[in-house]
mmCIF file with all atom_site columns, all heavy atoms in Angstrom:
data_model
loop_
_atom_site.group_PDB
_atom_site.id
_atom_site.type_symbol
_atom_site.label_atom_id
_atom_site.label_alt_id
_atom_site.label_comp_id
_atom_site.label_asym_id
_atom_site.label_entity_id
_atom_site.label_seq_id
_atom_site.pdbx_PDB_ins_code
_atom_site.Cartn_x
_atom_site.Cartn_y
_atom_site.Cartn_z
_atom_site.occupancy
_atom_site.B_iso_or_equiv
_atom_site.pdbx_formal_charge
_atom_site.auth_seq_id
_atom_site.auth_comp_id
_atom_site.auth_asym_id
_atom_site.auth_atom_id
_atom_site.pdbx_PDB_model_num
ATOM 1   N N   . SER A 1 168 ? -69.206 20.628 46.023 1.00 0.00 ? 1574 SER A N   1
ATOM 2   C CA  . SER A 1 168 ? -69.012 21.969 45.486 1.00 0.00 ? 1574 SER A CA  1
ATOM 3   C C   . SER A 1 168 ? -69.366 23.047 46.506 1.00 0.00 ? 1574 SER A C   1
ATOM 4   O O   . SER A 1 168 ? -68.687 24.066 46.617 1.00 0.00 ? 1574 SER A O   1
ATOM 5   C CB  . SER A 1 168 ? -69.837 22.158 44.225 1.00 0.00 ? 1574 SER A CB  1
ATOM 6   O OG  . SER A 1 168 ? -69.411 21.258 43.226 1.00 0.00 ? 1574 SER A OG  1
ATOM 7   N N   . HIS A 1 169 ? -70.430 22.802 47.261 1.00 0.00 ? 1575 HIS A N   1
ATOM 8   C CA  . HIS A 1 169 ? -70.845 23.776 48.274 1.00 0.00 ? 1575 HIS A CA  1
ATOM 9   C C   . HIS A 1 169 ? -69.800 23.920 49.359 1.00 0.00 ? 1575 HIS A C   1
ATOM 10  O O   . HIS A 1 169 ? -69.461 25.038 49.787 1.00 0.00 ? 1575 HIS A O   1
ATOM 11  C CB  . HIS A 1 169 ? -72.195 23.345 48.857 1.00 0.00 ? 1575 HIS A CB  1
ATOM 12  C CG  . HIS A 1 169 ? -72.775 24.341 49.820 1.00 0.00 ? 1575 HIS A CG  1
ATOM 13  N ND1 . HIS A 1 169 ? -72.628 24.227 51.193 1.00 0.00 ? 1575 HIS A ND1 1
ATOM 14  C CD2 . HIS A 1 169 ? -73.468 25.490 49.617 1.00 0.00 ? 1575 HIS A CD2 1
ATOM 15  C CE1 . HIS A 1 169 ? -73.233 25.234 51.781 1.00 0.00 ? 1575 HIS A CE1 1
ATOM 16  N NE2 . HIS A 1 169 ? -73.742 26.024 50.853 1.00 0.00 ? 1575 HIS A NE2 1
ATOM 17  N N   . GLN A 1 170 ? -69.244 22.789 49.825 1.00 0.00 ? 1576 GLN A N   1
ATOM 18  C CA  . GLN A 1 170 ? -68.226 22.833 50.851 1.00 0.00 ? 1576 GLN A CA  1
ATOM 19  C C   . GLN A 1 170 ? -66.932 23.487 50.347 1.00 0.00 ? 1576 GLN A C   1
ATOM 20  O O   . GLN A 1 170 ? -66.292 24.269 51.056 1.00 0.00 ? 1576 GLN A O   1
ATOM 21  C CB  . GLN A 1 170 ? -67.925 21.420 51.363 1.00 0.00 ? 1576 GLN A CB  1
ATOM 22  C CG  . GLN A 1 170 ? -69.090 20.788 52.115 1.00 0.00 ? 1576 GLN A CG  1
ATOM 23  C CD  . GLN A 1 170 ? -69.467 21.576 53.372 1.00 0.00 ? 1576 GLN A CD  1
ATOM 24  O OE1 . GLN A 1 170 ? -68.600 22.144 54.041 1.00 0.00 ? 1576 GLN A OE1 1
ATOM 25  N NE2 . GLN A 1 170 ? -70.743 21.615 53.679 1.00 0.00 ? 1576 GLN A NE2 1
ATOM 26  N N   . ASP A 1 171 ? -66.555 23.175 49.122 1.00 0.00 ? 1577 ASP A N   1
ATOM 27  C CA  . ASP A 1 171 ? -65.343 23.783 48.538 1.00 0.00 ? 1577 ASP A CA  1
ATOM 28  C C   . ASP A 1 171 ? -65.510 25.282 48.403 1.00 0.00 ? 1577 ASP A C   1
ATOM 29  O O   . ASP A 1 171 ? -64.572 26.062 48.653 1.00 0.00 ? 1577 ASP A O   1
ATOM 30  C CB  . ASP A 1 171 ? -65.064 23.161 47.163 1.00 0.00 ? 1577 ASP A CB  1
ATOM 31  C CG  . ASP A 1 171 ? -64.592 21.726 47.253 1.00 0.00 ? 1577 ASP A CG  1
ATOM 32  O OD1 . ASP A 1 171 ? -64.252 21.297 48.386 1.00 0.00 ? 1577 ASP A OD1 1
ATOM 33  O OD2 . ASP A 1 171 ? -64.600 21.044 46.217 1.00 0.00 ? 1577 ASP A OD2 1
ATOM 34  N N   . LEU A 1 172 ? -66.714 25.717 48.027 1.00 0.00 ? 1578 LEU A N   1
ATOM 35  C CA  . LEU A 1 172 ? -66.964 27.153 47.870 1.00 0.00 ? 1578 LEU A CA  1
ATOM 36  C C   . LEU A 1 172 ? -66.902 27.869 49.227 1.00 0.00 ? 1578 LEU A C   1
ATOM 37  O O   . LEU A 1 172 ? -66.280 28.943 49.338 1.00 0.00 ? 1578 LEU A O   1
ATOM 38  C CB  . LEU A 1 172 ? -68.324 27.374 47.216 1.00 0.00 ? 1578 LEU A CB  1
ATOM 39  C CG  . LEU A 1 172 ? -68.741 28.829 47.027 1.00 0.00 ? 1578 LEU A CG  1
ATOM 40  C CD1 . LEU A 1 172 ? -67.759 29.572 46.140 1.00 0.00 ? 1578 LEU A CD1 1
ATOM 41  C CD2 . LEU A 1 172 ? -70.161 28.911 46.436 1.00 0.00 ? 1578 LEU A CD2 1
ATOM 42  N N   . LYS A 1 173 ? -67.496 27.296 50.243 1.00 0.00 ? 1579 LYS A N   1
ATOM 43  C CA  . LYS A 1 173 ? -67.459 27.905 51.572 1.00 0.00 ? 1579 LYS A CA  1
ATOM 44  C C   . LYS A 1 173 ? -66.022 28.017 52.082 1.00 0.00 ? 1579 LYS A C   1
ATOM 45  O O   . LYS A 1 173 ? -65.640 29.046 52.649 1.00 0.00 ? 1579 LYS A O   1
ATOM 46  C CB  . LYS A 1 173 ? -68.300 27.070 52.549 1.00 0.00 ? 1579 LYS A CB  1
ATOM 47  C CG  . LYS A 1 173 ? -69.805 27.209 52.354 1.00 0.00 ? 1579 LYS A CG  1
ATOM 48  C CD  . LYS A 1 173 ? -70.574 26.347 53.343 1.00 0.00 ? 1579 LYS A CD  1
ATOM 49  C CE  . LYS A 1 173 ? -70.306 26.804 54.766 1.00 0.00 ? 1579 LYS A CE  1
ATOM 50  N NZ  . LYS A 1 173 ? -71.101 26.001 55.753 1.00 0.00 ? 1579 LYS A NZ  1
ATOM 51  N N   . HIS A 1 174 ? -65.251 26.968 51.883 1.00 0.00 ? 1580 HIS A N   1
ATOM 52  C CA  . HIS A 1 174 ? -63.847 27.000 52.326 1.00 0.00 ? 1580 HIS A CA  1
ATOM 53  C C   . HIS A 1 174 ? -63.066 28.079 51.598 1.00 0.00 ? 1580 HIS A C   1
ATOM 54  O O   . HIS A 1 174 ? -62.281 28.813 52.224 1.00 0.00 ? 1580 HIS A O   1
ATOM 55  C CB  . HIS A 1 174 ? -63.207 25.625 52.069 1.00 0.00 ? 1580 HIS A CB  1
ATOM 56  C CG  . HIS A 1 174 ? -61.748 25.592 52.383 1.00 0.00 ? 1580 HIS A CG  1
ATOM 57  N ND1 . HIS A 1 174 ? -61.240 25.595 53.676 1.00 0.00 ? 1580 HIS A ND1 1
ATOM 58  C CD2 . HIS A 1 174 ? -60.659 25.570 51.552 1.00 0.00 ? 1580 HIS A CD2 1
ATOM 59  C CE1 . HIS A 1 174 ? -59.931 25.584 53.636 1.00 0.00 ? 1580 HIS A CE1 1
ATOM 60  N NE2 . HIS A 1 174 ? -59.547 25.565 52.368 1.00 0.00 ? 1580 HIS A NE2 1
ATOM 61  N N   . LEU A 1 175 ? -63.293 28.218 50.306 1.00 0.00 ? 1581 LEU A N   1
ATOM 62  C CA  . LEU A 1 175 ? -62.576 29.211 49.519 1.00 0.00 ? 1581 LEU A CA  1
ATOM 63  C C   . LEU A 1 175 ? -62.963 30.639 49.923 1.00 0.00 ? 1581 LEU A C   1
ATOM 64  O O   . LEU A 1 175 ? -62.115 31.519 50.042 1.00 0.00 ? 1581 LEU A O   1
ATOM 65  C CB  . LEU A 1 175 ? -62.847 28.992 48.021 1.00 0.00 ? 1581 LEU A CB  1
ATOM 66  C CG  . LEU A 1 175 ? -62.062 29.875 47.038 1.00 0.00 ? 1581 LEU A CG  1
ATOM 67  C CD1 . LEU A 1 175 ? -60.564 29.649 47.211 1.00 0.00 ? 1581 LEU A CD1 1
ATOM 68  C CD2 . LEU A 1 175 ? -62.461 29.539 45.609 1.00 0.00 ? 1581 LEU A CD2 1
ATOM 69  N N   . LEU A 1 176 ? -64.231 30.847 50.173 1.00 0.00 ? 1582 LEU A N   1
ATOM 70  C CA  . LEU A 1 176 ? -64.696 32.166 50.594 1.00 0.00 ? 1582 LEU A CA  1
ATOM 71  C C   . LEU A 1 176 ? -64.131 32.526 51.969 1.00 0.00 ? 1582 LEU A C   1
ATOM 72  O O   . LEU A 1 176 ? -63.659 33.660 52.183 1.00 0.00 ? 1582 LEU A O   1
ATOM 73  C CB  . LEU A 1 176 ? -66.217 32.202 50.616 1.00 0.00 ? 1582 LEU A CB  1
ATOM 74  C CG  . LEU A 1 176 ? -66.937 32.139 49.265 1.00 0.00 ? 1582 LEU A CG  1
ATOM 75  C CD1 . LEU A 1 176 ? -68.445 32.015 49.457 1.00 0.00 ? 1582 LEU A CD1 1
ATOM 76  C CD2 . LEU A 1 176 ? -66.610 33.363 48.422 1.00 0.00 ? 1582 LEU A CD2 1
ATOM 77  N N   . ASN A 1 177 ? -64.165 31.591 52.903 1.00 0.00 ? 1583 ASN A N   1
ATOM 78  C CA  . ASN A 1 177 ? -63.641 31.864 54.248 1.00 0.00 ? 1583 ASN A CA  1
ATOM 79  C C   . ASN A 1 177 ? -62.157 32.166 54.207 1.00 0.00 ? 1583 ASN A C   1
ATOM 80  O O   . ASN A 1 177 ? -61.658 33.010 54.968 1.00 0.00 ? 1583 ASN A O   1
ATOM 81  C CB  . ASN A 1 177 ? -63.908 30.664 55.162 1.00 0.00 ? 1583 ASN A CB  1
ATOM 82  C CG  . ASN A 1 177 ? -65.380 30.477 55.457 1.00 0.00 ? 1583 ASN A CG  1
ATOM 83  O OD1 . ASN A 1 177 ? -66.166 31.424 55.418 1.00 0.00 ? 1583 ASN A OD1 1
ATOM 84  N ND2 . ASN A 1 177 ? -65.787 29.236 55.754 1.00 0.00 ? 1583 ASN A ND2 1
ATOM 85  N N   . LYS A 1 178 ? -61.437 31.499 53.327 1.00 0.00 ? 1584 LYS A N   1
ATOM 86  C CA  . LYS A 1 178 ? -59.997 31.711 53.224 1.00 0.00 ? 1584 LYS A CA  1
ATOM 87  C C   . LYS A 1 178 ? -59.678 33.103 52.774 1.00 0.00 ? 1584 LYS A C   1
ATOM 88  O O   . LYS A 1 178 ? -58.616 33.657 53.141 1.00 0.00 ? 1584 LYS A O   1
ATOM 89  C CB  . LYS A 1 178 ? -59.428 30.677 52.227 1.00 0.00 ? 1584 LYS A CB  1
ATOM 90  C CG  . LYS A 1 178 ? -57.926 30.749 52.057 1.00 0.00 ? 1584 LYS A CG  1
ATOM 91  C CD  . LYS A 1 178 ? -57.442 29.687 51.102 1.00 0.00 ? 1584 LYS A CD  1
ATOM 92  C CE  . LYS A 1 178 ? -55.942 29.758 50.886 1.00 0.00 ? 1584 LYS A CE  1
ATOM 93  N NZ  . LYS A 1 178 ? -55.462 28.720 49.921 1.00 0.00 ? 1584 LYS A NZ  1
ATOM 94  N N   . HIS A 1 179 ? -60.568 33.746 51.998 1.00 0.00 ? 1585 HIS A N   1
ATOM 95  C CA  . HIS A 1 179 ? -60.314 35.090 51.477 1.00 0.00 ? 1585 HIS A CA  1
ATOM 96  C C   . HIS A 1 179 ? -61.176 36.149 52.164 1.00 0.00 ? 1585 HIS A C   1
ATOM 97  O O   . HIS A 1 179 ? -61.404 37.231 51.608 1.00 0.00 ? 1585 HIS A O   1
ATOM 98  C CB  . HIS A 1 179 ? -60.581 35.126 49.969 1.00 0.00 ? 1585 HIS A CB  1
ATOM 99  C CG  . HIS A 1 179 ? -59.543 34.382 49.171 1.00 0.00 ? 1585 HIS A CG  1
ATOM 100 N ND1 . HIS A 1 179 ? -59.573 33.010 49.012 1.00 0.00 ? 1585 HIS A ND1 1
ATOM 101 C CD2 . HIS A 1 179 ? -58.460 34.820 48.474 1.00 0.00 ? 1585 HIS A CD2 1
ATOM 102 C CE1 . HIS A 1 179 ? -58.558 32.638 48.250 1.00 0.00 ? 1585 HIS A CE1 1
ATOM 103 N NE2 . HIS A 1 179 ? -57.873 33.699 47.925 1.00 0.00 ? 1585 HIS A NE2 1
#
Side-chain angles (χ1 to χ4, degrees):
S1574 297
H1575 185 262
Q1576 293 299 325
D1577 290 346
L1578 178 61
K1579 286 180 63 178
H1580 175 73
L1581 186 60
L1582 291 173
N1583 292 334
K1584 182 178 178 181
H1585 289 80

